[in-house]
Amino acid sequence: MTASRSSRTALVTGASTGIGEEYARKLAERGYAVVLVARRAEELERIAAELRERYGVDAVPLAADLGEDSGLAAVEERLRADGTGADAPVDLLVNNAGRGEGGTFTEMDPAAVDSMLDLNVRAVLRLTRAVLPVQIARGRADGRGAPLGVINVSSVAGELAVNPHGSVYAGTKKFVTLWSESVALEVAEHGVHVTAVLPGFVRTDMTRSVQEKGLPDIAWVPRERIVRESLRAWAAGYTKVVPGAQYKAAVNLLRVIPRSVFKSMARRLG
């Protein structure tokens, strides 16, 4: 099957593996042209070729390190495009790329803290800032009702303090959640949706050390479910979604259970 031009375009960061790759696949399946962003050029090209062949959509690899200014600038340039063909405007930005670093805040290498802030916070803000003006200018959804906007992959760790990746990771994700909800209110009148997605434990390369601890199956949420639920929530205009019934329940329990209970759970995972 040869690639054809799609009338909708999505850009996904961290698209070479895990949740990001799943977003790319599900969006291609829905007919989106996809721009795949990650550091590993060869892996991106492999996935892009597979998506072109399987779904008949345009799939373009864009190798970039979002922890570096040059990488951010390259992706920002693509997000600001408002032309046709390879420069078609981006209907949906998925900010999925992120980094988790274990250890307590006082023990972490300051360079590792800076790197996590750059990728988990700074890159999310800059890329969102690049795409929103274009989307706002385009106005409300197209004739088929497809929305415009941004999905920011946060984490339930920012809500529960159950995070083997440490307090800095939890803090960055809490910021992404609250900031996304705030920005969503700013742009809603323009028909642009911004949604924060708060996954729990997901089997990815980043959680390999947690997987080795043998957590029960109920602790894990399939990446397919995360993507499916978040795309549905984004299309409906929700500003926040917690995929998986077990994590929805855990977040609700915070209203009646002290955080110290969740903190003790975090220690056992650390």
PDB file of all heavy atoms in Angstrom, residues 238-257:
ATOM      1  N   TYR A 238     -12.305  16.962  27.273  1.00  0.00           N
ATOM      2  CA  TYR A 238     -11.919  16.868  28.684  1.00  0.00           C
ATOM      3  C   TYR A 238     -10.497  17.419  28.868  1.00  0.00           C
ATOM      4  O   TYR A 238      -9.623  17.201  28.035  1.00  0.00           O
ATOM      5  CB  TYR A 238     -11.968  15.421  29.164  1.00  0.00           C
ATOM      6  CG  TYR A 238     -13.369  14.877  29.290  1.00  0.00           C
ATOM      7  CD1 TYR A 238     -13.915  14.077  28.291  1.00  0.00           C
ATOM      8  CD2 TYR A 238     -14.145  15.165  30.407  1.00  0.00           C
ATOM      9  CE1 TYR A 238     -15.204  13.573  28.401  1.00  0.00           C
ATOM     10  CE2 TYR A 238     -15.438  14.668  30.522  1.00  0.00           C
ATOM     11  CZ  TYR A 238     -15.962  13.868  29.518  1.00  0.00           C
ATOM     12  OH  TYR A 238     -17.231  13.389  29.627  1.00  0.00           O
ATOM     13  N   THR A 239     -10.263  18.091  29.984  1.00  0.00           N
ATOM     14  CA  THR A 239      -8.949  18.671  30.226  1.00  0.00           C
ATOM     15  C   THR A 239      -8.008  17.711  30.945  1.00  0.00           C
ATOM     16  O   THR A 239      -6.800  17.961  31.002  1.00  0.00           O
ATOM     17  CB  THR A 239      -9.061  19.962  31.051  1.00  0.00           C
ATOM     18  OG1 THR A 239      -9.652  19.656  32.321  1.00  0.00           O
ATOM     19  CG2 THR A 239      -9.920  20.985  30.320  1.00  0.00           C
ATOM     20  N   LYS A 240      -8.540  16.622  31.484  1.00  0.00           N
ATOM     21  CA  LYS A 240      -7.726  15.689  32.269  1.00  0.00           C
ATOM     22  C   LYS A 240      -8.354  14.304  32.205  1.00  0.00           C
ATOM     23  O   LYS A 240      -9.571  14.180  32.310  1.00  0.00           O
ATOM     24  CB  LYS A 240      -7.640  16.173  33.722  1.00  0.00           C
ATOM     25  CG  LYS A 240      -6.921  15.266  34.698  1.00  0.00           C
ATOM     26  CD  LYS A 240      -6.932  15.932  36.070  1.00  0.00           C
ATOM     27  CE  LYS A 240      -6.397  15.053  37.169  1.00  0.00           C
ATOM     28  NZ  LYS A 240      -6.437  15.716  38.492  1.00  0.00           N
ATOM     29  N   VAL A 241      -7.520  13.273  32.049  1.00  0.00           N
ATOM     30  CA  VAL A 241      -8.028  11.913  32.026  1.00  0.00           C
ATOM     31  C   VAL A 241      -7.037  11.003  32.726  1.00  0.00           C
ATOM     32  O   VAL A 241      -5.825  11.127  32.542  1.00  0.00           O
ATOM     33  CB  VAL A 241      -8.299  11.431  30.579  1.00  0.00           C
ATOM     34  CG1 VAL A 241      -7.046  11.505  29.718  1.00  0.00           C
ATOM     35  CG2 VAL A 241      -8.851  10.005  30.570  1.00  0.00           C
ATOM     36  N   VAL A 242      -7.564  10.106  33.565  1.00  0.00           N
ATOM     37  CA  VAL A 242      -6.760   9.097  34.248  1.00  0.00           C
ATOM     38  C   VAL A 242      -7.166   7.738  33.693  1.00  0.00           C
ATOM     39  O   VAL A 242      -8.209   7.199  34.083  1.00  0.00           O
ATOM     40  CB  VAL A 242      -6.972   9.139  35.771  1.00  0.00           C
ATOM     41  CG1 VAL A 242      -6.097   8.092  36.462  1.00  0.00           C
ATOM     42  CG2 VAL A 242      -6.678  10.523  36.324  1.00  0.00           C
ATOM     43  N   PRO A 243      -6.396   7.156  32.787  1.00  0.00           N
ATOM     44  CA  PRO A 243      -6.775   5.866  32.197  1.00  0.00           C
ATOM     45  C   PRO A 243      -6.673   4.727  33.210  1.00  0.00           C
ATOM     46  O   PRO A 243      -5.740   4.678  34.011  1.00  0.00           O
ATOM     47  CB  PRO A 243      -5.754   5.674  31.065  1.00  0.00           C
ATOM     48  CG  PRO A 243      -5.195   7.031  30.806  1.00  0.00           C
ATOM     49  CD  PRO A 243      -5.205   7.714  32.139  1.00  0.00           C
ATOM     50  N   GLY A 244      -7.646   3.824  33.151  1.00  0.00           N
ATOM     51  CA  GLY A 244      -7.640   2.661  34.026  1.00  0.00           C
ATOM     52  C   GLY A 244      -8.465   2.888  35.275  1.00  0.00           C
ATOM     53  O   GLY A 244      -8.235   3.846  36.020  1.00  0.00           O
ATOM     54  N   ALA A 245      -9.425   1.971  35.507  1.00  0.00           N
ATOM     55  CA  ALA A 245     -10.323   2.111  36.657  1.00  0.00           C
ATOM     56  C   ALA A 245      -9.561   2.103  37.975  1.00  0.00           C
ATOM     57  O   ALA A 245      -9.931   2.811  38.925  1.00  0.00           O
ATOM     58  CB  ALA A 245     -11.355   0.985  36.638  1.00  0.00           C
ATOM     59  N   GLN A 246      -8.483   1.313  38.065  1.00  0.00           N
ATOM     60  CA  GLN A 246      -7.755   1.215  39.333  1.00  0.00           C
ATOM     61  C   GLN A 246      -7.092   2.534  39.699  1.00  0.00           C
ATOM     62  O   GLN A 246      -7.024   2.904  40.881  1.00  0.00           O
ATOM     63  CB  GLN A 246      -6.718   0.084  39.265  1.00  0.00           C
ATOM     64  CG  GLN A 246      -5.534   0.286  38.331  1.00  0.00           C
ATOM     65  CD  GLN A 246      -5.804  -0.158  36.909  1.00  0.00           C
ATOM     66  OE1 GLN A 246      -6.814   0.234  36.340  1.00  0.00           O
ATOM     67  NE2 GLN A 246      -4.900  -0.959  36.343  1.00  0.00           N
ATOM     68  N   TYR A 247      -6.614   3.279  38.703  1.00  0.00           N
ATOM     69  CA  TYR A 247      -5.971   4.555  39.000  1.00  0.00           C
ATOM     70  C   TYR A 247      -6.989   5.675  39.182  1.00  0.00           C
ATOM     71  O   TYR A 247      -6.752   6.609  39.960  1.00  0.00           O
ATOM     72  CB  TYR A 247      -4.951   4.890  37.913  1.00  0.00           C
ATOM     73  CG  TYR A 247      -3.728   4.012  38.038  1.00  0.00           C
ATOM     74  CD1 TYR A 247      -3.536   2.923  37.188  1.00  0.00           C
ATOM     75  CD2 TYR A 247      -2.814   4.231  39.048  1.00  0.00           C
ATOM     76  CE1 TYR A 247      -2.440   2.088  37.333  1.00  0.00           C
ATOM     77  CE2 TYR A 247      -1.710   3.404  39.198  1.00  0.00           C
ATOM     78  CZ  TYR A 247      -1.520   2.336  38.348  1.00  0.00           C
ATOM     79  OH  TYR A 247      -0.445   1.511  38.509  1.00  0.00           O
ATOM     80  N   LYS A 248      -8.114   5.595  38.505  1.00  0.00           N
ATOM     81  CA  LYS A 248      -9.194   6.545  38.796  1.00  0.00           C
ATOM     82  C   LYS A 248      -9.611   6.413  40.262  1.00  0.00           C
ATOM     83  O   LYS A 248      -9.793   7.406  40.969  1.00  0.00           O
ATOM     84  CB  LYS A 248     -10.391   6.279  37.888  1.00  0.00           C
ATOM     85  CG  LYS A 248     -10.204   6.664  36.439  1.00  0.00           C
ATOM     86  CD  LYS A 248     -11.483   6.405  35.654  1.00  0.00           C
ATOM     87  CE  LYS A 248     -11.375   6.843  34.201  1.00  0.00           C
ATOM     88  NZ  LYS A 248     -10.451   5.974  33.432  1.00  0.00           N
ATOM     89  N   ALA A 249      -9.736   5.164  40.723  1.00  0.00           N
ATOM     90  CA  ALA A 249     -10.126   4.923  42.110  1.00  0.00           C
ATOM     91  C   ALA A 249      -9.058   5.427  43.073  1.00  0.00           C
ATOM     92  O   ALA A 249      -9.372   6.015  44.115  1.00  0.00           O
ATOM     93  CB  ALA A 249     -10.379   3.429  42.322  1.00  0.00           C
ATOM     94  N   ALA A 250      -7.796   5.202  42.730  1.00  0.00           N
ATOM     95  CA  ALA A 250      -6.709   5.638  43.610  1.00  0.00           C
ATOM     96  C   ALA A 250      -6.700   7.155  43.759  1.00  0.00           C
ATOM     97  O   ALA A 250      -6.509   7.676  44.868  1.00  0.00           O
ATOM     98  CB  ALA A 250      -5.373   5.154  43.054  1.00  0.00           C
ATOM     99  N   VAL A 251      -6.899   7.866  42.651  1.00  0.00           N
ATOM    100  CA  VAL A 251      -6.933   9.330  42.718  1.00  0.00           C
ATOM    101  C   VAL A 251      -8.105   9.795  43.575  1.00  0.00           C
ATOM    102  O   VAL A 251      -7.975  10.723  44.385  1.00  0.00           O
ATOM    103  CB  VAL A 251      -7.014   9.924  41.294  1.00  0.00           C
ATOM    104  CG1 VAL A 251      -7.308  11.420  41.358  1.00  0.00           C
ATOM    105  CG2 VAL A 251      -5.712   9.677  40.538  1.00  0.00           C
ATOM    106  N   ASN A 252      -9.243   9.141  43.431  1.00  0.00           N
ATOM    107  CA  ASN A 252     -10.409   9.514  44.241  1.00  0.00           C
ATOM    108  C   ASN A 252     -10.186   9.230  45.724  1.00  0.00           C
ATOM    109  O   ASN A 252     -10.675   9.959  46.593  1.00  0.00           O
ATOM    110  CB  ASN A 252     -11.650   8.768  43.745  1.00  0.00           C
ATOM    111  CG  ASN A 252     -12.153   9.290  42.415  1.00  0.00           C
ATOM    112  OD1 ASN A 252     -11.958  10.461  42.085  1.00  0.00           O
ATOM    113  ND2 ASN A 252     -12.786   8.431  41.630  1.00  0.00           N
ATOM    114  N   LEU A 253      -9.412   8.171  46.019  1.00  0.00           N
ATOM    115  CA  LEU A 253      -9.154   7.813  47.411  1.00  0.00           C
ATOM    116  C   LEU A 253      -8.328   8.870  48.140  1.00  0.00           C
ATOM    117  O   LEU A 253      -8.351   8.942  49.367  1.00  0.00           O
ATOM    118  CB  LEU A 253      -8.429   6.468  47.481  1.00  0.00           C
ATOM    119  CG  LEU A 253      -9.305   5.211  47.345  1.00  0.00           C
ATOM    120  CD1 LEU A 253      -8.430   3.971  47.288  1.00  0.00           C
ATOM    121  CD2 LEU A 253     -10.303   5.113  48.497  1.00  0.00           C
ATOM    122  N   LEU A 254      -7.607   9.680  47.381  1.00  0.00           N
ATOM    123  CA  LEU A 254      -6.811  10.732  48.009  1.00  0.00           C
ATOM    124  C   LEU A 254      -7.666  11.693  48.826  1.00  0.00           C
ATOM    125  O   LEU A 254      -7.163  12.388  49.709  1.00  0.00           O
ATOM    126  CB  LEU A 254      -6.035  11.513  46.951  1.00  0.00           C
ATOM    127  CG  LEU A 254      -4.710  10.912  46.508  1.00  0.00           C
ATOM    128  CD1 LEU A 254      -4.107  11.749  45.394  1.00  0.00           C
ATOM    129  CD2 LEU A 254      -3.742  10.826  47.675  1.00  0.00           C
ATOM    130  N   ARG A 255      -8.936  11.730  48.508  1.00  0.00           N
ATOM    131  CA  ARG A 255      -9.826  12.633  49.230  1.00  0.00           C
ATOM    132  C   ARG A 255     -10.067  12.163  50.661  1.00  0.00           C
ATOM    133  O   ARG A 255     -10.448  12.956  51.529  1.00  0.00           O
ATOM    134  CB  ARG A 255     -11.164  12.745  48.501  1.00  0.00           C
ATOM    135  CG  ARG A 255     -11.025  13.289  47.079  1.00  0.00           C
ATOM    136  CD  ARG A 255     -12.334  13.155  46.310  1.00  0.00           C
ATOM    137  NE  ARG A 255     -12.193  13.596  44.931  1.00  0.00           N
ATOM    138  CZ  ARG A 255     -13.124  13.435  43.994  1.00  0.00           C
ATOM    139  NH1 ARG A 255     -14.284  12.852  44.300  1.00  0.00           N
ATOM    140  NH2 ARG A 255     -12.915  13.855  42.763  1.00  0.00           N
ATOM    141  N   VAL A 256      -9.849  10.864  50.914  1.00  0.00           N
ATOM    142  CA  VAL A 256     -10.155  10.323  52.244  1.00  0.00           C
ATOM    143  C   VAL A 256      -8.975   9.610  52.899  1.00  0.00           C
ATOM    144  O   VAL A 256      -9.002   9.357  54.101  1.00  0.00           O
ATOM    145  CB  VAL A 256     -11.358   9.349  52.168  1.00  0.00           C
ATOM    146  CG1 VAL A 256     -12.619  10.099  51.793  1.00  0.00           C
ATOM    147  CG2 VAL A 256     -11.089   8.227  51.172  1.00  0.00           C
ATOM    148  N   ILE A 257      -7.944   9.271  52.118  1.00  0.00           N
ATOM    149  CA  ILE A 257      -6.794   8.547  52.660  1.00  0.00           C
ATOM    150  C   ILE A 257      -5.587   9.474  52.682  1.00  0.00           C
ATOM    151  O   ILE A 257      -5.292  10.126  51.674  1.00  0.00           O
ATOM    152  CB  ILE A 257      -6.491   7.282  51.822  1.00  0.00           C
ATOM    153  CG1 ILE A 257      -7.647   6.294  51.928  1.00  0.00           C
ATOM    154  CG2 ILE A 257      -5.197   6.630  52.271  1.00  0.00           C
ATOM    155  CD1 ILE A 257      -7.433   5.027  51.148  1.00  0.00           C
TER     156      ILE A 257
END
